[in-house]
Every structure is written in C-alpha cells, then in structure tokens.
Amino acid sequence: MGNAALVQDGSAAKYKESKMALYKDVKTKLKEVQERLEKEQPGLGPEEFDVICSEELANELGVSEDLVKAIAYSATPKKQSRPAEFPKEGEEVPVEGEDKEVSAIATVPPAPLEPAPTLVDISSPGPVRSKTPEPEPDAELCAKLIKASSETRFHHFIVGMDGSAASMVAFKTALALRKAKGKFYALHVEDKGKNEYLPSNMKWGGIKDAIEPSLTGSIPPTLCSMECIQKSPSDTTKSTFVSHINGIDTPMYVCLGWVGRKGPKEDPTVLGSVSDVAMRSCSHPVIICKNAPEAGAHSFVVCVDSASGRGMIAFENIMSMVKQIDTVTVAYCYTDEVALQEVKESYEKNFFENGYSSNIKFHGILHTAGTPIYQSIADYINESGFTFTVVAPDPDLVRKEISVSEHLVKDCKNSNFIFIKVPKKLLQG
C-alpha cells in the first residue's frame, strides 16, 4: 500500500506512520513534475506552473491539492518533543507561509464500488480502468437524444471551455460544424479554490474575452450563450461538468478538447481527465477534438459492425449533420468475405434509397491477422486522414477494460472523434 493510501485510510496509527513518508514523496515527485513541465511547456507563467504541478501531484498520490501545496511549499518539519499527529478526518490544518496562510482539510474518500461483471468486446485486453465510480450515461436519455437529433438538420453544440489551447480547438470545431439555425453554448466549470492561482486567460473573465468576439461576429445573440457554473467543494470538475450536461434534455453535441489546461501528456495517447470521463459518461453525443477543421469540405468515417445495428443508427444520425460538400465513408473491419458482402449490400441499399451522392461510399478494412481489431482500424484512419471518426458505443455495457472505441480515440493521431451512444432499445429485433 502506497503512502498516499495510508494517509487516506481512517486509521490514526497509519496517519502517524506515513506522515514523513508522504512528505518525502511529495517533495521528491514535485521535483520530477517540475523538471518535466519545464521541458514540455517552457512558456508557462509561475502561477499556472504551480497550479499544474499541484494538480498532477494530487492526482498521482490520491490526496487533495491543498494538502500537496501545504507540504510542497513548507519547510522540512522540525523535531518535536512528542510525535506530531497527522490530521484526523475533517480537521483543518493551518500552514504558515511568507505571504499568506493555506489550509488543508484531511479527507477520507468513499470506499470504491465493487467492479461490475465485465463484457469486453476487444480482441486484445487494454489497460484496466480505475475503480473510482464514474457518472453513468442514461440509456433512456441517449435514445431520446439520438431520435431527436436524427430529425433535425440544425444541430446544437455545447463546448467545454477552460481557457486552454485545446478548448479553443473544440470551440473552433463546433463553429465549423454548426449550421445556420443551430444553437451554440460555451460552458465553464469554475473552481473558486483555484482562481487565486490560475492565470487570467484561464479564469471565466479571460475566457469570455477570448471567445465573445467570434460569437458576436458570426452567431445571432438569440442562438448563442456563455455560462459559468460553480464546482462544489465536495465534487470534482469532471463530475460537475458531466452531471450538468446529463441534466439537459435538448439534443446537442458536447465538444471537448483532447486535453485540458495542463496541456498534452508525456504519453500522447492519454486524454485529459474531463474528456476521458465525458466520452463514456455523457448521454449526449460527445466530440473529442484534436484539430480544428479547415474551412471547406470535411471527411467523415463511420466505423460499423455487422451484428448490432449501432453503426447504421450512427450513420443515419451523422448524415443529418454533414454538408453537401462533405464526404462520408462507412468502414467495416472484416476477416470473412461473405460477412463483408452482406454489410456492404446493406449500406449501399441505404445509400440508393436515400439518394445519396457519390460522396458517400462503403469501404472494407481487412483485419490483419495476429493484431487487435482496433489496430487495423486505427491504421486505416491514420493513413486516410479523416477529419472526423464516428463510433457508436453501447451505453448499457459496463466494461472494466478499454473498448475498441476508446482505443481508437487514443491511437488515431489527428482525427476528431464523435461518440454517439446507441442503447439496446433503439436496435431492431
């Protein structure tokens, strides 16, 4: 059991035992994080630098950011006549600094839920997920939103804004996809506890100043709005965001940057924490944005399977979004030529009955023997350079391991990803 785990256990004896070890862990790992950030993001200001260091360290050790700051910016503890006691749960810990006082609250997290039975649809197991419970998508709401979305040509978009370069990519992507009567919302989750440390461009005022000119210059005021909601002290930014989105029953696409304000990770396949949770937990379709589309025609690829029918529903849904100049490819990964022909005929019949132009086509991807299915699909997407990749995960299915859809969004380098969650109740049969 790690030192952070000892600190978060309710036992007073374990608190005492791990105090110095936790202190050393924070000091050592802080230096490692600082050195890495200096190489990866040399342009960070001192306040932003401190905020990102504290966040990363808190996430890694499983303790509060206030506790990290209290230890990181304190001097080495002096010897005392009696053993110092670590704080009890809920007890406030004053920390003296040169300019101001910082206080940390010792908290004990709830026990993790027992993992649910797992049904995995990937051919090669991926990393095991955290046991921390995540918000769940509402299958009933997913079905309602998909049905309503497929019946309109003017989709609405809501963009998560945190002031980062990645969130601006999401902002520009939503603007590029929006049509004349579509509504546009910018949403920011404010953590007042961090406002003291964040640079001005990552506070709500700075974010509004950055995006307002683009909105007022291109969208009528009746069709756009900017909103800031507050994170409660007992909640996380990602759960606050997802809960707010899941409380909206108007169909819209949720646009998020590939990473958050901490910027790209050392491992380029790692998503930002809000994006990582939202693509699984939001009932609305979610767009994970890596590159803002250029003006003009965009290319879409819809990844489908042969059995469930989810791919067909996602395809019909996305066809209500694309413009006449866009291209759409329906892609099916196969090993069996007979199955390939059946799927191809099904989609080409749909193309003909709906009078789709030659911009819409079907493509079979040969599954390379000895490799996971997602790898064959990812190779095709990377080689083809699609602007958007559309996937249709099952919101009813609880997985412990990473799914094909999640592997794709992590392994495809440049394509933006659209997650349209298709519940079982929408499937025929």
Side-chain angles (χ1 to χ4, degrees):
M1 182 181 291
N3 296 326
L6 287 171
V7 171
Q8 290 189 333
D9 193 289
S11 165
K14 289 182 179 179
Y15 277 152
K16 295 176 186 177
E17 174 187 334
S18 63
K19 178 181 179 181
M20 184 55 69
L22 176 67
Y23 180 91
K24 290 179 179 178
D25 270 2
V26 170
K27 291 289 189 180
T28 301
K29 292 182 181 294
L30 177 66
K31 185 176 180 181
E32 294 173 1
V33 172
Q34 288 172 333
E35 289 175 350
R36 178 172 56 76
L37 279 178
E38 286 171 356
K39 293 179 182 178
E40 294 178 356
Q41 302 184 57
L44 290 176
E47 290 184 351
E48 186 180 0
F49 187 88
D50 288 345
V51 169
I52 293 175
C53 284
S54 299
E55 285 183 346
E56 288 203 11
L57 210 51
N59 288 336
E60 182 176 348
L61 296 177
V63 296
S64 71
E65 289 178 35
D66 284 339
L67 185 55
V68 167
K69 292 171 188 173
I71 296 175
Y73 303 110
S74 65
T76 304
K78 297 178 181 179
K79 292 183 178 179
Q80 301 180 16
S81 56
R82 61 183 179 83
E85 292 187 356
F86 224 83
K88 298 180 175 62
E89 178 185 355
E91 180 180 335
E92 187 168 350
V93 186
V95 180
E96 294 184 359
E98 293 181 359
D99 301 319
K100 53 182 174 270
E101 291 187 351
V102 182
S103 66
I105 304 296
T107 59
V108 178
L113 299 179
E114 288 297 319
T118 302
L119 179 58
V120 181
D121 64 350
I122 58 177
S123 55
S124 175
V128 176
R129 293 203 199 184
S130 164
K131 291 183 180 179
T132 304
E134 292 179 355
E136 294 288 340
D138 183 335
E140 290 286 334
L141 181 57
C142 288
K144 174 186 174 182
L145 295 171
I146 288 175
K147 188 174 184 301
S149 182
S150 64
E151 295 171 352
T152 181
R153 293 186 299 113
F154 302 105
H155 295 277
H156 308 318
F157 296 86
I158 184 165
V159 186
M161 299 297 303
D162 61 9
S164 66
S167 70
M168 286 305 298
V169 168
F171 178 79
K172 293 174 182 177
T173 300
L175 284 179
L177 290 172
R178 175 190 167 271
K179 295 179 183 178
K181 297 180 182 179
K183 294 182 179 179
F184 191 103
Y185 303 91
L187 176 66
H188 173 66
V189 178
E190 183 176 67
D191 184 350
K192 288 189 174 180
K194 293 180 182 176
N195 268 357
E196 180 180 354
Y197 308 100
L198 287 174
S200 58
N201 67 300
M202 292 187 173
K203 297 178 182 178
W204 179 230
I207 293 171
K208 284 179 63 179
D209 290 344
I211 65 175
E212 198 164 17
S214 296
L215 293 179
T216 56
S218 60
I219 304 177
T222 55
L223 295 178
C224 69
S225 67
M226 297 178 288
E227 183 180 5
C228 176
I229 60 174
Q230 298 297 318
K231 181 190 83 68
S232 68
S234 60
D235 212 347
T236 63
T237 298
K238 55 192 174 186
S239 59
T240 299
F241 180 85
V242 170
S243 296
H244 183 82
I245 295 296
N246 285 347
I248 300 172
D249 59 6
T250 302
M252 59 181 61
Y253 283 81
V254 181
C255 293
L256 292 165
W258 167 250
V259 293
R261 65 169 180 259
K262 289 181 276 189
K265 313 299 180 186
E266 191 169 3
D267 179 353
T269 67
V270 176
L271 280 72
S273 60
V274 176
S275 301
D276 191 45
V277 171
M279 70 179 183
R280 287 189 298 274
S281 303
C282 283
S283 299
H284 294 259
V286 173
I287 306 179
I288 302 297
C289 306
K290 299 184 181 182
N291 291 286
E294 300 287 340
H298 304 140
S299 57
F300 294 76
V301 58
V302 184
C303 300
V304 304
D305 58 20
S306 61
S308 72
R310 287 191 173 82
M312 183 65 81
I313 291 174
F315 166 71
E316 292 174 344
N317 193 272
I318 212 67
M319 287 304 297
S320 66
M321 175 192 289
V322 301
K323 302 169 184 174
Q324 288 187 345
I325 59 173
D326 295 335
T327 61
V328 179
T329 300
V330 174
Y332 170 65
C333 191
Y334 71 97
T335 54
D336 180 3
E337 292 279 356
V338 174
L340 171 67
Q341 194 60 32
E342 289 178 355
V343 176
K344 181 179 180 181
E345 289 175 359
S346 172
Y347 279 92
E348 289 186 340
K349 179 182 178 183
N350 181 289
F351 301 165
F352 176 77
E353 290 176 347
N354 287 283
Y356 292 139
S357 70
S358 58
N359 286 0
I360 315 300
K361 65 180 184 179
F362 181 91
H363 180 82
I365 305 169
L366 178 62
H367 180 198
T368 305
T371 64
I373 188 171
Y374 63 80
Q375 191 59 59
S376 297
I377 302 172
D379 289 344
Y380 170 67
I381 294 171
N382 285 330
E383 290 167 7
S384 303
F386 293 105
T387 317
F388 295 94
T389 298
V390 182
V391 291
D394 178 4
D396 300 298
L397 185 60
V398 178
R399 295 181 178 92
K400 183 179 178 182
E401 294 174 326
I402 293 179
S403 68
V404 170
S405 298
E406 291 174 71
H407 270 293
L408 290 178
V409 74
K410 294 171 187 292
D411 292 347
C412 294
K413 299 173 183 177
N414 297 311
S415 185
N416 303 300
F417 268 76
I418 303 179
F419 288 80
I420 300 176
K421 301 178 185 70
V422 181
K424 292 182 178 67
K425 69 174 297 177
L426 286 182
L427 305 179
Q428 295 179 353

